[in-house]
Amino acid sequence: MNTAFNCIKNCELFRDLSDTEAEQIEKKAAIRTYRKNTIIISTNDTTDSVYIVESGKVRVYRDHLDGRQITLNTLGPGMVFGELAALSDSPRGATVETLEETQTRVLTKADFIAILKQNSELSLNIARKFAQMVHVLSNHVADIALLDVYGRLTNFLERTAIDKNGQRTIEGFTHQELANNVGASREMVSRILSGLKKEKYISTPSKGRSIILENKLPSGW
């Protein structure tokens, strides 16, 4: 089974398709490779292609009026972006930039719409994804509006942590990336993490970019 086929079958939207249907998408999906820190899509672009991340990682963000960048999502292999603009006939609502060398499979809007019309389960998966996006963005907006930097950061850490070797771990984020996710400065995020580490609420292994939640994070600081 080739790499492109695996990419389609492992994709969050297309995993329920039959092998035949996945092969049809594979034939239509062009391959594109981007270097680290490459802008794939810019806010207000009028392009309408749909991208499937095959390898690497991208960041979806908006620029704030004060010059800060607010990260809306981070996407890795098997995840999709660009489908909202393809379905809504509207300009791109966010910028997408690679965090590392990234390879994608790209569908034109026409091919994507045709696939949706042929498969009701795929259309339902799209509806589920949009519902999840609304839920995540609602929580994000509420955090920005109602919480201070400490509250936004600890909420993000709690939501992002995964179980790894019996420890709750957050992986793959620099302090700047954490700051972008919670709408704060890198200096403020570093200061809070340093305090949490000093009080042994978190630990940061010397190898890799990971944070381990050692104890329940305090509600205030």
Side-chain angles (χ1 to χ4, degrees), residues 12-13 80-81 83 124-133:
E12 56 182 352
L13 290 183
V80 176
F81 62 92
E83 74 282 20
L124 184 58
N125 284 347
I126 287 282
R128 289 194 189 103
K129 185 186 179 187
F130 285 165
Q132 292 167 355
M133 288 170 59

Side-chain angles (χ1 to χ4, degrees), residues 39-99:
I39 301 294
I40 300 177
I41 290 172
S42 294
T43 304
N44 295 323
D45 276 354
T46 56
T47 58
D48 54 16
S49 297
V50 177
Y51 296 78
I52 308 163
V53 181
E54 182 169 39
S55 62
K57 186 165 60 173
V58 303
R59 177 170 70 103
V60 184
Y61 68 88
R62 291 291 300 267
D63 289 307
H64 195 272
L65 292 176
D66 64 7
R68 288 179 297 155
Q69 294 178 343
I70 307 298
T71 298
L72 304 176
N73 209 347
T74 302
L75 308 176
M79 305 185 81
V80 176
F81 62 92
E83 74 282 20
L84 186 58
L87 291 173
S88 64
D89 291 322
S90 59
R92 301 293 190 179
T95 297
V96 180
E97 180 181 13
T98 59
L99 294 174

Side-chain angles (χ1 to χ4, degrees), residues 117-136:
K117 288 180 177 179
Q118 295 167 8
N119 192 289
S120 59
E121 186 64 31
L122 181 55
S123 298
L124 184 58
N125 284 347
I126 287 282
R128 289 194 189 103
K129 185 186 179 187
F130 285 165
Q132 292 167 355
M133 288 170 59
V134 170
H135 178 71
V136 169

